[in-house]
Amino acid sequence: MTTYIRRRAADLRPGAPNTNDLGESESKRLQKGKAASDSPRTLGLLHAVYQHAIALEAASTRTRGIVSVFALVFVPVAILGLLFFDLSVGLTQDSIREGSALLALASLVLAAVSLLIFFCALTGAIRAFRIDLFSPLQMPILFNAKTRKVYRFIQDMPGTNFSTALVNMKYWPGVFKRWPLILVEYDWDCLEAEHAKETRVSGNVVQTLHELRFIAKESPGSGGVVDGFTVASPLMLGSETWPELWEFIRRYMEEQSLAALDNESFAPEPPKTLFQAANAVAPAGWFWAVAGGIGTAWIAWRSGIPEGSLASITWFLFAVFSGLTLVIIMFNWLAHRLAPRVELPADLLAEAGSPIERSELTIKTAAK
């Protein structure tokens, strides 16, 4: 049974919306009464359809496991911090025995910095693994067209604001504490939708990230912001797909009209096997990742790493792509084995009405 705290958006502490995936970005307010696209789509985020409501995945099943790969980067950093701490303690002891006060002071500073690096890397790795492997699965965003309410689950995680040293010190033990699950209720009329866009330049690569935001106001048309959230990851959204997702939500809530659905509209079922996880993460690429991993390992075992710039670079790229894909698949499967599942409360399910089977929805769409 899911344990959570229920709150209305108006009861949350007023502040800036929790939509900080993009930094300085252009934002445009979206009109609820105006169509944004002629082809509304779910982008594979549709979790369930009820008689009076729809549920979208807050985080895609396909992206689970990526954060754990980044968490692995913290592990060698933590080990290096611990090694430097051990080295600096030895230098401090030698300096004290030799009577060199200046060297002993420098060694103490190095020890303090090394210990700080160790703790930062350790807590960063634990936080990332907890978020990716142990955060509840399928925390849906529920849009109820009949009651004009929106519900979403959030985890009250520590360390979201590192503005002061005191907050940073509280963060370290916070990663070991329980993170309460909160069910927040929003009035649709108090939500304002925004499209945010940011262009980033990295070397010769120009990347434009898009974000679909919902800003919760104290009351319709007021300037007071109480909360905010995003739908879909910026990595999933493009210049053509964000209007399609917004139009799917807008049309359902404003016009009580459910757009045409097919099998690709629905989020994949939580994987139970490695094969299912591979199909969820990389349906068209997992086979090549396995083949690339076996091939590069076989080449390295038989004749070593290829010589020559082109051959070695090609071997390296295949090895990195295959390795990362296979590790993400493994973590995706592990997350769906370890993480608890979230159940919507009975009163919300009663308001949403009886669930509609996917096959029934796709058959109706095909008939049209």
Side-chain angles (χ1 to χ4, degrees):
M1 182 178 179
T2 307
T3 303
Y4 48 81
I5 304 168
R6 295 187 68 162
R7 290 180 183 169
R8 288 180 53 82
D11 300 329
L12 298 175
R13 184 179 302 172
N18 183 24
T19 56
N20 50 8
D21 286 339
L22 303 184
E24 296 296 326
S25 57
E26 306 174 32
S27 60
K28 179 179 113 175
R29 188 63 45 83
L30 304 175
Q31 299 180 29
K32 292 181 179 178
K34 182 179 179 181
S37 173
D38 294 329
S39 54
R41 290 198 301 139
T42 68
L43 307 186
L45 292 174
L46 188 60
H47 172 63
V49 178
Y50 301 91
Q51 189 177 359
H52 307 298
I54 57 172
L56 299 181
E57 278 192 336
S60 174
T61 302
R62 296 180 174 89
T63 59
R64 201 82 181 236
I66 296 177
V67 175
S68 292
V69 174
F70 288 105
L72 292 176
V73 178
F74 289 105
V75 176
V77 176
I79 294 174
L80 284 176
L82 201 58
L83 291 175
F84 276 110
F85 175 74
D86 181 64
L87 177 64
S88 58
V89 169
L91 288 175
T92 303
Q93 293 172 343
D94 294 340
S95 303
I96 292 174
R97 281 195 297 265
E98 295 171 2
S100 176
L102 185 60
L103 185 57
L105 180 61
S107 301
L108 284 173
V109 172
L110 178 61
V113 172
S114 302
L115 196 61
L116 181 65
I117 292 174
F118 169 73
F119 276 116
C120 287
L122 178 65
T123 52
I126 293 173
R127 178 187 175 93
F129 279 127
R130 279 193 66 178
I131 291 173
D132 200 37
L133 299 181
F134 299 100
S135 290
L137 295 175
Q138 295 181 322
M139 294 194 292
I141 304 175
L142 186 70
F143 295 86
N144 192 313
K146 183 178 180 181
T147 62
R148 296 184 68 80
K149 299 284 186 181
V150 178
Y151 302 88
R152 77 176 183 116
F153 288 98
I154 58 175
Q155 275 192 300
D156 189 10
M157 294 182 290
T160 56
N161 177 13
F162 299 97
S163 58
T164 65
L166 181 60
V167 172
N168 293 337
M169 292 182 68
K170 289 181 178 179
Y171 166 73
W172 289 339
V175 297
F176 300 100
K177 295 180 180 178
R178 181 175 173 270
W179 295 348
L181 195 61
I182 302 174
L183 177 60
V184 186
E185 175 187 319
Y186 304 90
D187 290 317
W188 172 255
D189 295 327
C190 295
L191 287 175
E192 294 183 357
E194 285 185 354
H195 165 241
K197 179 177 71 172
E198 180 186 7
T199 301
R200 297 176 179 177
V201 180
S202 178
N204 295 326
V205 179
V206 179
Q207 183 183 28
T208 301
L209 297 177
H210 299 265
E211 197 173 60
L212 180 57
R213 300 174 174 174
F214 285 93
I215 311 299
K217 298 298 186 71
E218 293 177 340
S219 59
S222 72
V225 176
V226 294
D227 193 26
F229 60 94
T230 61
V231 178
S233 165
L235 300 177
M236 297 179 60
L237 299 178
S239 58
E240 295 182 359
T241 53
W242 77 259
E244 294 172 339
L245 179 59
W246 160 241
E247 179 60 20
F248 180 84
I249 298 171
R250 185 205 70 82
R251 190 176 296 187
Y252 183 77
M253 293 298 291
E254 290 294 314
E255 303 174 7
Q256 287 75 51
S257 173
L258 186 64
L261 301 174
D262 55 26
N263 290 327
E264 297 299 321
S265 303
F266 293 90
E269 292 292 337
K272 296 180 181 179
T273 65
L274 279 171
F275 179 73
Q276 291 175 343
N279 277 318
V281 172
W286 69 266
F287 174 81
W288 299 109
V290 172
I294 295 174
T296 52
W298 184 79
I299 291 172
W301 176 66
R302 289 295 301 269
S303 55
I305 298 176
E307 298 180 358
S309 58
L310 181 59
S312 59
I313 290 174
T314 303
W315 180 90
F316 176 77
L317 290 177
F318 268 97
V320 170
F321 165 77
S322 303
L324 283 177
T325 303
L326 294 176
V327 170
I328 291 172
I329 289 172
M330 183 194 68
F331 277 125
N332 183 280
W333 170 77
L334 197 60
H336 288 93
R337 297 285 293 181
L338 297 176
R341 301 185 186 278
V342 168
E343 298 176 2
L344 288 168
D347 60 319
L348 295 191
L349 290 175
E351 291 177 353
S354 57
I356 304 175
E357 294 294 330
R358 297 185 181 186
S359 57
E360 184 180 345
L361 291 164
T362 53
I363 289 173
K364 286 182 179 179
T365 299
K368 293 179 181 180

